[in-house]
Amino acid sequence: LFLLSQLKKQGPNTQFLYLAEELIKHSVEITVVTYKKYDEDSSLAILFKNYGIEVISYEHLGRYAFIKSFSKISACFDYVCSYGLESDFYNAIFSSSRKISFVRNQLFYSYASVYGTFGYVLAGINYLLFKNMDIVFSCSLAVQSYLKRFYLDSNYLTNTINSGVFNDLIGSS
């Protein structure tokens, strides 16, 4: 089960699609849970359908009802994989399955560059959430090395993006 906060054309979802493409080659069934509104006719939603990825949307639920529903559905899966602070929060706190997080950035540096001083607080929260994960994957060797500086072990996956999928997402040829 993959927990994606939203189905927008953005880096984490592009990386998810690359990973999904590889998993599908090995006959792994993929389900995505999302909790923010999305357009079912967007290119990303269409790509999910084309890959046979089931999308369960809880966009119509309030926060409490989403948490309750997510807790129930996550129990039906061996693993729950999350990308990003908000999804990591729900996964770390409310999932009863094995928890996996994918780290895409150099936490403290990246959050601070976007959110200023408050970014350090957000990075600290995300760091603590990683401590509640069973497995943490870094999207690059540089991110893995960065996390080691903070005594956080992670596995390393290649940060490669399938150009065909990427081009479909951005509308290029």
Side-chain angles (χ1 to χ4, degrees), residues 155-170:
N155 297 289
Y156 160 65
L157 285 177
T158 305
N159 189 20
T160 305
I161 295 176
N162 178 304
S163 60
V165 172
F166 181 72
N167 288 338
D168 287 345
L169 277 174
I170 62 171

Side-chain angles (χ1 to χ4, degrees), residues 16 22 29 37 54 57 59 107 131 136 138 151 156:
F16 160 74
E22 294 302 313
E29 291 183 27
K37 188 175 180 167
E54 178 184 8
S57 174
E59 68 180 66
L107 288 177
K131 294 294 191 173
V136 175
S138 298
Y151 306 101
Y156 160 65

Side-chain angles (χ1 to χ4, degrees), residues 47 85 114 129:
L47 277 173
L85 176 60
V114 174
L129 292 171

Side-chain angles (χ1 to χ4, degrees), residues 61-128:
L61 298 178
R63 189 82 56 187
Y64 175 75
F66 163 70
I67 290 169
K68 190 174 177 182
S69 296
F70 172 68
S71 294
K72 285 182 185 176
I73 195 169
S74 71
C76 299
F77 291 86
D78 294 329
Y79 297 93
V80 175
C81 307
S82 52
Y83 288 80
L85 176 60
E86 193 174 3
S87 295
D88 286 342
F89 173 78
Y90 290 124
N91 191 10
I93 305 299
F94 300 109
S95 173
S96 58
S97 301
R98 293 202 63 203
K99 301 161 181 65
I100 300 174
S101 180
F102 291 85
V103 184
R104 303 180 51 255
N105 55 37
Q106 297 180 357
L107 288 177
F108 294 93
Y109 172 78
S110 298
Y111 279 114
S113 68
V114 174
Y115 301 105
T117 304
F118 184 63
Y120 292 108
V121 174
L122 294 175
I125 291 169
N126 212 165
Y127 174 81
L128 293 174

